[in-house]
Amino acid sequence: MKIAIITGASSGMGREFALQMDCHFANIDEFWLVARREEELIKLAESLTHPCRIFAMDLTMKGQIQRIEEAARLEDAKICMLVQCAGFGLMGPLEVLPIKDTVSMIKLNCEALTELTGHMLPFMARNGRIIFLASSAAFLPQPEFSVYAASKSYVLSFARALAVELRSKEIYVTAVCPGPVDTPFFDIAEKTGSTLAFKKAFMACPEDVVAKALRDSFFRKPVSVYGCSMNAFQLMTKLLPHGAILSAMKWIKDAEKARSAESFLKEGEQGTEGRLQA
Ligand SMILES: NC(=O)c1ccc[n+]([C@@H]2O[C@H](COP(=O)([O-])OP(=O)(O)OC[C@H]3O[C@@H](n4cnc5c(N)ncnc54)[C@H](OP(=O)(O)O)[C@@H]3O)[C@@H](O)[C@H]2O)c1
């Protein structure tokens, strides 16, 4: 049975991968959709033309990934596509982040991704594809997004090494490194901090990022970066010393904080004046 596995399929880019792959991958027998929210996976499955199997699970919980391995063994699966989108980020200085959530981030973004890859490798088909959702945050350390950026550097490094390891087996690995993408990712990430305002100007839509990722995976590219601005950012991180870029970003962040504090105070003063006049 030819299988495509998509983690993080209940939302954002994982969901978008499922929708686009459903249109383009006629030879796949079954899609295996993985995430915690079962009702979202069911809704997605109902909108796809391929038969789907739902794995409602928390990938960070012990023993869950073995359920997928067990299914692969029982079905004598030939995995043609393994797309790993499950992941989350938390913004803010390390000292304000709950340490339990910080560790969960590493467990999901790095540990579960590695464990699932390891368990699925024996089932990967020749000419199969593995796609990892890394991030442009992998290119540079990010103060106040430090653990997330480090976790994505891990994903990028792991993917590039694995791409070389698996080439002789005709399995092709692509790390997708988008900048900000318009998905529910920020609903979670911004609970504890805020994105630099100028970064939001570069927000991409998930349809375009996923279409480019699938194209790059098809052409066996090890890294997929969507958009001129993110390609320019990647180039900058290769050419300039990281210390200098980090200082410039800190300067921008401080200026943004000062501006928003100023406008907050102004609004307060206007409010008080208005109340006094009334
Ligand atoms: N959006 C961006 O700006 C951006 C940029 C660069 C990279 N990325 C990366 O792209 C990937 C997809 O993110 P997205 O933007 O599509 O965000 P999203 O809409 O929040 O999707 C995250 C997915 O991960 C799943 N997930 C979270 N915790 C899980 C767990 N413990 N077990 C299993 N599944 C879990 C969520 O499903 P449930 O809640 O149902 O479990 C959801 O389907 C992530 O790895 C993210 O780091 C995002």
Side-chain angles (χ1 to χ4, degrees):
M1 175 132 68
K2 289 182 182 162
I3 303 291
I5 300 180
I6 304 167
T7 74
S10 61
S11 141
M13 285 187 271
R15 186 174 175 280
E16 187 57 38
F17 268 105
L19 292 168
Q20 293 196 22
M21 284 163 58
D22 188 45
C23 298
H24 301 304
F25 290 73
N27 63 336
I28 300 278
D29 296 314
E30 205 167 76
F31 279 32
W32 290 4
L33 308 174
V34 186
R36 289 167 304 179
R37 283 169 294 165
E38 189 171 17
E39 63 289 2
E40 293 302 323
L41 295 178
I42 293 173
K43 257 192 251 165
L44 173 64
E46 284 169 355
S47 71
L48 302 182
T49 55
H50 284 81
C52 293
R53 188 180 297 196
I54 283 163
F55 292 86
M57 63 171 67
D58 183 337
L59 283 162
T60 63
M61 299 268 282
K62 221 171 167 217
Q64 294 297 293
I65 289 173
Q66 279 77 354
R67 279 175 51 203
I68 308 179
E69 189 193 19
E70 182 70 16
R73 202 153 18 84
L74 285 174
E75 297 295 346
D76 191 18
K78 298 272 169 289
I79 300 169
C80 301
M81 296 287 294
L82 172 60
V83 183
Q84 299 209 48
C85 299
F88 75 97
L90 289 176
M91 291 170 182
L94 184 64
E95 62 191 344
V96 307
L97 299 181
I99 192 67
K100 195 167 156 278
D101 298 345
T102 302
V103 171
S104 287
M105 192 164 35
I106 302 170
K107 275 194 178 154
L108 181 63
N109 296 0
C110 304
E111 206 179 301
L113 173 135
T114 311
E115 194 182 339
L116 183 62
T117 308
H119 280 297
M120 292 302 114
L121 274 188
F123 302 99
M124 286 299 301
R126 267 181 67 190
N127 210 23
R129 299 290 194 273
I130 300 178
I131 297 179
F132 293 118
L133 255 291
S135 167
S136 62
F139 302 148
L140 184 77
Q142 305 233 340
E144 302 194 16
F145 212 12
S146 59
V147 175
Y148 177 74
S151 76
K152 292 300 177 177
S153 291
Y154 170 89
V155 176
L156 177 57
S157 169
F158 174 56
R160 298 195 78 158
L162 209 58
V164 177
E165 266 181 46
L166 297 178
R167 206 179 289 152
S168 59
K169 295 199 163 83
E170 294 178 46
I171 298 167
Y172 302 100
V173 181
T174 302
V176 183
C177 297
V181 187
D182 191 7
T183 70
F185 175 84
F186 291 96
D187 299 346
I188 297 167
E190 291 191 328
K191 273 185 189 159
T192 43
S194 61
T195 320
L196 282 172
F198 83 89
K199 274 196 193 170
K200 291 213 165 157
F202 299 111
M203 192 71 87
C205 66
E207 293 83 351
D208 296 339
V209 174
V210 167
K212 165 109 173 79
L214 286 172
R215 249 190 336 267
D216 286 341
S217 161
F218 178 78
F219 288 113
R220 304 173 182 176
K221 287 195 181 172
V223 181
S224 173
V225 182
Y226 171 78
C228 301
S229 50
M230 283 311 127
N231 277 290
F233 176 64
Q234 185 189 22
L235 186 65
M236 183 176 78
T237 61
K238 285 181 179 169
L239 297 178
L240 297 180
H242 284 189
I245 308 174
L246 290 176
S247 301
M249 284 174 79
K250 180 164 177 3
W251 184 82
I252 294 171
K253 184 135 202 162
D254 289 348
E256 274 181 8
K257 275 183 187 163
R259 238 196 334 269
S260 70
E262 211 173 277
S263 64
F264 178 74
L265 283 175
K266 242 186 221 151
E267 272 168 27
E269 274 168 18
Q270 279 165 0
T272 316
E273 252 172 46
R275 276 198 299 281
L276 286 175
Q277 277 167 10

